[in-house]
Amino acid sequence: MADTNAIIRTEALQKVYSNGKSAVRTHALRGVDLSIPRGGFSCIVGPSGHGKSTLLQLIGGLDRPTSGNVYIDDINIATLNRNKIAEVRASKIGFVFQFFNLLPNLTALENLQTAMMLGGVKAKEQRSKAMELLELVGLSDKASFLPNQLSGGQQQRVSIARALSNDPEILLMDEPTGNLDSESEKDVLEHIFAIHKRGKTVVIVTHNDTLAARAEHLFVIKDGVLAKNP
Amino acid sequence: MNILKLVARNLLRRKGRFMFTLLGITIGMAAFVALLAIGGNMRNEVTAQTYALGGGFVIVPDDLCVYNQIGIITGEAISERLAYGEYEAIAAIDGITVIPHLTRRMMIYNPTAGENQAVPVTGQLPAETQAFYGWEMSEGRYFESQDEEAVIIGQSIKNRFKVEVGDKLPIKSGIELEVIGVLKVTDGNDDAMVHMPISVAQRVFDREDSLSYMTARVDDMRKFDDYQEQMLNAANNIKIATNEQMLGSVLMILGSVEFTLQMVAGVALVAAAFGIINTMMTAVYERRREIGIMQALGSKSRTIFATFVLESGLYGLFGGALGVCVGYVSSLVIAPMVAEHSETMLKGMELGAKVDVQLVVTTIAFSLIISVLSGLYPAWKASKLTPVEAISNG
């Protein structure tokens, strides 16, 4: 029976990759059922190459499952077309990636404004909202900096601010501290915790034990199946 | 942030590539505009010169083909097979005013250019011709008798040869005639001719009793068929062509030339279009990761598609606008060269490019359409990328 408090649910989720014309098929996920509670701080852990990032991509609608369902707020995104999934992403989900993935030719401020534009925020409201978010991650003084003028930690903080641009309920993060030095990692984690306290549902794929230890809900993926379901 | 700003930032991030792609479409459109502008002005010039013949029709030897008839408009030498008696026979018909011409292209030394240049020299009946065309003088005087051994020149001859009234013009080896006057601009090929009494021309050319052609008009054009019959009866070996018929022949030839030139410009445009496709395909490949990021941020396929089509379209807009400017400037530079170096029909024509608003608008619109079409395939490729594919492979 469905968990009524769950904001994200998957049912019998499978993902199989085929390698071009060859008959080799890789089973990344072999039927995952999970429920992620609304407003929770969840971590997905497990060995490398066992399906964690694939699970996150399917939850975020970045990829399509081979079979099974993914519910975001009871909307089964596995059955939606590309544009409908894009609408769900723009309104309900913010992404933070390991390699920051800021648009390189836009300033920190413009990166946030672009996300807002795609989320339908009017041009004249974008600037003040974006500045508020940069203030939140302590980078309002770097608004006009291009990504390559920022440190890794600063880029990730801009990326977190960008993920909040359209005030999504869910933040999906793939190894957000995986590419940072320890000082920057600590800094970024503080911001992630602070954002969770503002009521956001945070789901993080990580190898970071410190981070996993702070999780309210810990999911372990091993060999494409859910090995531990809290 | 809006799509246009985003596109502008994308365009300008690789300034070198942007400039070279823009240059491609600019050159293509400039060639298109220059050739069309020159072609259009040639057409206007030929039309003006035809109507400046003054008469309703011309009378030529009956074995003169269409291409030779064009020489009358352009001031080229044509055969001298009409007899003076045929002029007299036609002039005797009531209701017809006819003017005889004996025209030959002579090589005259141009001290400014330091070389001999071909100039149409024509012999006419001074009094009748002036009355027929309503010529006025801008300098000097007109012929005082029907056989005065002197010449008057058109305005463009004066400008080309830097000749003044009172100077001697070397018409032929051993024959120099004084320039006694300069005609006011007629807008016809008379501006690019040297004029002398027909009796003098017959002596200079050593063609006693010969004519090249006659220009004529009738008192009542509605009775043209009757007059034509009378003329054909009065003279044996003549053919009659109306100005409209001659103009039609010239424009048909010009049309073929224009078409060929447009095909050349078309090849330049096709090359430019492939330049855009190449640039956009490279951009799609380079920006795979960014396309994925945009999708992760909630961008729909159609937004990605629109971004690339807009980017491609801006090449066409800017390239078209720049091409129009470069094309017109080029035609201003090229047209006098075409007119100067042509040995035949364009000699002495004023081919300066006139700005045609319709051509400007059409060119920019055409450029825009070509570039948008060029951007469709790359944009489609970009919009079909899946976010995970784009981010993973970017």
PDB file of all heavy atoms in Angstrom, chain B residues 39-49 251 254 354:
ATOM      1  N   GLY B  39      22.164  44.390 -62.235  1.00  0.00           N
ATOM      2  CA  GLY B  39      21.254  43.883 -63.262  1.00  0.00           C
ATOM      3  C   GLY B  39      20.032  44.783 -63.400  1.00  0.00           C
ATOM      4  O   GLY B  39      19.628  45.146 -64.501  1.00  0.00           O
ATOM      5  N   GLY B  40      19.456  45.167 -62.253  1.00  0.00           N
ATOM      6  CA  GLY B  40      18.264  46.020 -62.256  1.00  0.00           C
ATOM      7  C   GLY B  40      18.556  47.367 -62.888  1.00  0.00           C
ATOM      8  O   GLY B  40      17.763  47.895 -63.669  1.00  0.00           O
ATOM      9  N   ASN B  41      19.733  47.899 -62.574  1.00  0.00           N
ATOM     10  CA  ASN B  41      20.064  49.214 -63.117  1.00  0.00           C
ATOM     11  C   ASN B  41      20.386  49.150 -64.605  1.00  0.00           C
ATOM     12  O   ASN B  41      20.126  50.087 -65.339  1.00  0.00           O
ATOM     13  CB  ASN B  41      21.226  49.826 -62.339  1.00  0.00           C
ATOM     14  CG  ASN B  41      20.750  50.272 -60.966  1.00  0.00           C
ATOM     15  OD1 ASN B  41      19.639  50.770 -60.831  1.00  0.00           O
ATOM     16  ND2 ASN B  41      21.555  50.046 -59.950  1.00  0.00           N
ATOM     17  N   MET B  42      20.978  48.016 -65.026  1.00  0.00           N
ATOM     18  CA  MET B  42      21.218  47.829 -66.460  1.00  0.00           C
ATOM     19  C   MET B  42      19.883  47.852 -67.199  1.00  0.00           C
ATOM     20  O   MET B  42      19.720  48.475 -68.245  1.00  0.00           O
ATOM     21  CB  MET B  42      21.919  46.486 -66.714  1.00  0.00           C
ATOM     22  CG  MET B  42      23.428  46.559 -66.595  1.00  0.00           C
ATOM     23  SD  MET B  42      24.190  44.959 -66.324  1.00  0.00           S
ATOM     24  CE  MET B  42      23.939  44.195 -67.871  1.00  0.00           C
ATOM     25  N   ARG B  43      18.938  47.166 -66.620  1.00  0.00           N
ATOM     26  CA  ARG B  43      17.592  47.084 -67.194  1.00  0.00           C
ATOM     27  C   ARG B  43      16.985  48.500 -67.321  1.00  0.00           C
ATOM     28  O   ARG B  43      16.473  48.877 -68.370  1.00  0.00           O
ATOM     29  CB  ARG B  43      16.754  46.224 -66.245  1.00  0.00           C
ATOM     30  CG  ARG B  43      15.439  45.758 -66.754  1.00  0.00           C
ATOM     31  CD  ARG B  43      14.874  44.771 -65.750  1.00  0.00           C
ATOM     32  NE  ARG B  43      15.471  43.454 -65.918  1.00  0.00           N
ATOM     33  CZ  ARG B  43      14.970  42.517 -66.730  1.00  0.00           C
ATOM     34  NH1 ARG B  43      13.877  42.745 -67.406  1.00  0.00           N
ATOM     35  NH2 ARG B  43      15.559  41.359 -66.843  1.00  0.00           N
ATOM     36  N   ASN B  44      17.081  49.261 -66.200  1.00  0.00           N
ATOM     37  CA  ASN B  44      16.526  50.618 -66.221  1.00  0.00           C
ATOM     38  C   ASN B  44      17.241  51.480 -67.257  1.00  0.00           C
ATOM     39  O   ASN B  44      16.623  52.270 -67.966  1.00  0.00           O
ATOM     40  CB  ASN B  44      16.684  51.273 -64.837  1.00  0.00           C
ATOM     41  CG  ASN B  44      15.839  50.571 -63.799  1.00  0.00           C
ATOM     42  OD1 ASN B  44      14.888  49.877 -64.141  1.00  0.00           O
ATOM     43  ND2 ASN B  44      16.177  50.737 -62.530  1.00  0.00           N
ATOM     44  N   GLU B  45      18.569  51.306 -67.305  1.00  0.00           N
ATOM     45  CA  GLU B  45      19.374  52.124 -68.216  1.00  0.00           C
ATOM     46  C   GLU B  45      19.019  51.823 -69.668  1.00  0.00           C
ATOM     47  O   GLU B  45      18.850  52.727 -70.488  1.00  0.00           O
ATOM     48  CB  GLU B  45      20.854  51.822 -67.946  1.00  0.00           C
ATOM     49  CG  GLU B  45      21.820  52.729 -68.663  1.00  0.00           C
ATOM     50  CD  GLU B  45      21.910  54.111 -68.052  1.00  0.00           C
ATOM     51  OE1 GLU B  45      21.380  54.309 -66.933  1.00  0.00           O
ATOM     52  OE2 GLU B  45      22.486  54.981 -68.689  1.00  0.00           O
ATOM     53  N   VAL B  46      18.903  50.554 -69.968  1.00  0.00           N
ATOM     54  CA  VAL B  46      18.581  50.157 -71.349  1.00  0.00           C
ATOM     55  C   VAL B  46      17.187  50.672 -71.726  1.00  0.00           C
ATOM     56  O   VAL B  46      16.973  51.185 -72.828  1.00  0.00           O
ATOM     57  CB  VAL B  46      18.654  48.624 -71.507  1.00  0.00           C
ATOM     58  CG1 VAL B  46      18.010  48.189 -72.812  1.00  0.00           C
ATOM     59  CG2 VAL B  46      20.098  48.168 -71.455  1.00  0.00           C
ATOM     60  N   THR B  47      16.244  50.562 -70.778  1.00  0.00           N
ATOM     61  CA  THR B  47      14.892  51.044 -71.040  1.00  0.00           C
ATOM     62  C   THR B  47      14.925  52.546 -71.330  1.00  0.00           C
ATOM     63  O   THR B  47      14.318  53.027 -72.296  1.00  0.00           O
ATOM     64  CB  THR B  47      13.986  50.756 -69.819  1.00  0.00           C
ATOM     65  OG1 THR B  47      14.081  49.365 -69.541  1.00  0.00           O
ATOM     66  CG2 THR B  47      12.542  51.125 -70.086  1.00  0.00           C
ATOM     67  N   ALA B  48      15.674  53.282 -70.485  1.00  0.00           N
ATOM     68  CA  ALA B  48      15.755  54.737 -70.666  1.00  0.00           C
ATOM     69  C   ALA B  48      16.368  55.071 -72.025  1.00  0.00           C
ATOM     70  O   ALA B  48      15.893  55.953 -72.734  1.00  0.00           O
ATOM     71  CB  ALA B  48      16.592  55.341 -69.541  1.00  0.00           C
ATOM     72  N   GLN B  49      17.423  54.322 -72.395  1.00  0.00           N
ATOM     73  CA  GLN B  49      18.105  54.624 -73.655  1.00  0.00           C
ATOM     74  C   GLN B  49      17.218  54.306 -74.851  1.00  0.00           C
ATOM     75  O   GLN B  49      17.259  54.994 -75.863  1.00  0.00           O
ATOM     76  CB  GLN B  49      19.408  53.815 -73.753  1.00  0.00           C
ATOM     77  CG  GLN B  49      20.373  54.219 -72.657  1.00  0.00           C
ATOM     78  CD  GLN B  49      21.819  54.119 -73.073  1.00  0.00           C
ATOM     79  OE1 GLN B  49      22.114  53.811 -74.212  1.00  0.00           O
ATOM     80  NE2 GLN B  49      22.713  54.402 -72.164  1.00  0.00           N
ATOM     81  N   LEU B 251      15.991  43.143 -73.271  1.00  0.00           N
ATOM     82  CA  LEU B 251      15.669  42.696 -71.916  1.00  0.00           C
ATOM     83  C   LEU B 251      15.703  41.177 -71.815  1.00  0.00           C
ATOM     84  O   LEU B 251      16.039  40.625 -70.769  1.00  0.00           O
ATOM     85  CB  LEU B 251      14.302  43.234 -71.481  1.00  0.00           C
ATOM     86  CG  LEU B 251      14.241  44.757 -71.301  1.00  0.00           C
ATOM     87  CD1 LEU B 251      12.888  45.173 -70.758  1.00  0.00           C
ATOM     88  CD2 LEU B 251      15.340  45.263 -70.378  1.00  0.00           C
ATOM     89  N   LEU B 254      19.321  40.466 -71.444  1.00  0.00           N
ATOM     90  CA  LEU B 254      19.735  40.868 -70.090  1.00  0.00           C
ATOM     91  C   LEU B 254      19.207  39.890 -69.049  1.00  0.00           C
ATOM     92  O   LEU B 254      19.880  39.564 -68.085  1.00  0.00           O
ATOM     93  CB  LEU B 254      19.186  42.260 -69.771  1.00  0.00           C
ATOM     94  CG  LEU B 254      20.083  43.445 -70.105  1.00  0.00           C
ATOM     95  CD1 LEU B 254      19.425  44.721 -69.619  1.00  0.00           C
ATOM     96  CD2 LEU B 254      21.446  43.287 -69.461  1.00  0.00           C
ATOM     97  N   LYS B 354      21.223  51.970 -57.406  1.00  0.00           N
ATOM     98  CA  LYS B 354      20.221  52.744 -56.669  1.00  0.00           C
ATOM     99  C   LYS B 354      19.632  51.817 -55.619  1.00  0.00           C
ATOM    100  O   LYS B 354      19.381  50.654 -55.891  1.00  0.00           O
ATOM    101  CB  LYS B 354      19.143  53.238 -57.633  1.00  0.00           C
ATOM    102  CG  LYS B 354      19.685  54.205 -58.670  1.00  0.00           C
ATOM    103  CD  LYS B 354      18.578  54.639 -59.642  1.00  0.00           C
ATOM    104  CE  LYS B 354      19.150  55.459 -60.775  1.00  0.00           C
ATOM    105  NZ  LYS B 354      19.892  54.648 -61.770  1.00  0.00           N
TER     106      LYS B 354
END
